[in-house]
Amino acid sequence: MAESIYISREGLEKLKKDLEELKNVKRKEIIKRIEIAKDLGDLSENAEYTDAKDEQAFIEGKILDMEDTINNAIVLDEKRNTGTVDIGSTIKVSVDGGQREFTIVGSSESIPEKGLISNESPLGRAFLGR
């Protein structure tokens, strides 16, 4: 059974856009690089070909991961007020005499330095349900 991935509507749309870019642009670019590298001769000693094939494998893996994320995404409801901290909640916390604002997000959208903390992180788990 696949693991559910929590994501905002904006995050899901960005992921879909990035996926289309990989499929329709990057994939075609790497195919051209492979064709050009093949024309250079002996493939066993062709660094260009090896590099292009490695990049192709990376891109294909990334496409599979992104498709898996999209297929298992649970889009977060925005601005819901349940009285407890849940994924999608924005909270204010007193830190060192000041206040910091955190938003609990799915792991794929986590950017701690911007206050977006993963529901799977120790800090995120500590806030959930409070």
Side-chain angles (χ1 to χ4, degrees):
M1 186 170 174
E3 183 179 331
S4 297
I5 298 165
Y6 296 95
I7 192 166
S8 67
R9 188 166 312 287
E10 295 83 22
L12 183 60
E13 292 306 315
K14 181 183 181 318
L15 188 62
K16 286 179 179 179
K17 182 181 173 189
D18 292 347
L19 177 60
E20 288 305 310
E21 170 82 10
L22 282 177
K23 284 180 162 183
N24 297 322
V25 177
K26 297 292 185 185
R27 197 182 249 171
K28 290 178 182 176
E29 288 174 359
I30 199 67
I31 288 170
K32 285 181 186 175
R33 277 188 57 204
I34 290 170
E35 288 174 2
I36 291 169
K38 280 182 181 179
D39 291 338
L40 295 176
D42 184 11
L43 298 182
S44 65
E45 295 182 17
N46 188 331
E48 289 292 325
Y49 178 78
T50 302
D51 184 52
K53 290 297 281 185
D54 288 346
E55 187 174 346
Q56 181 185 36
F58 176 78
I59 288 172
E60 293 301 326
K62 194 165 182 171
I63 287 171
L64 289 174
D65 287 344
M66 293 170 92
E67 287 175 337
D68 186 55
T69 298
I70 290 168
N71 291 334
N72 295 301
I74 295 175
V75 178
L76 300 172
D77 294 331
E78 302 201 11
K79 302 215 185 335
R80 56 186 180 181
N81 189 2
T82 62
T84 60
V85 177
D86 198 2
I87 299 171
S89 296
T90 298
I91 57 175
K92 290 184 181 178
V93 180
S94 295
V95 178
D96 297 329
Q99 278 204 346
R100 293 258 340 246
E101 188 169 277
F102 296 105
T103 301
I104 310 298
V105 297
S107 60
S108 64
E109 294 183 280
S110 175
I111 308 172
E113 58 273 9
K114 292 186 177 182
L116 302 173
I117 57 173
S118 168
N119 63 309
E120 298 174 6
S121 71
L123 187 58
R125 284 194 307 254
F127 289 137
L128 291 175
R130 307 277 183 210

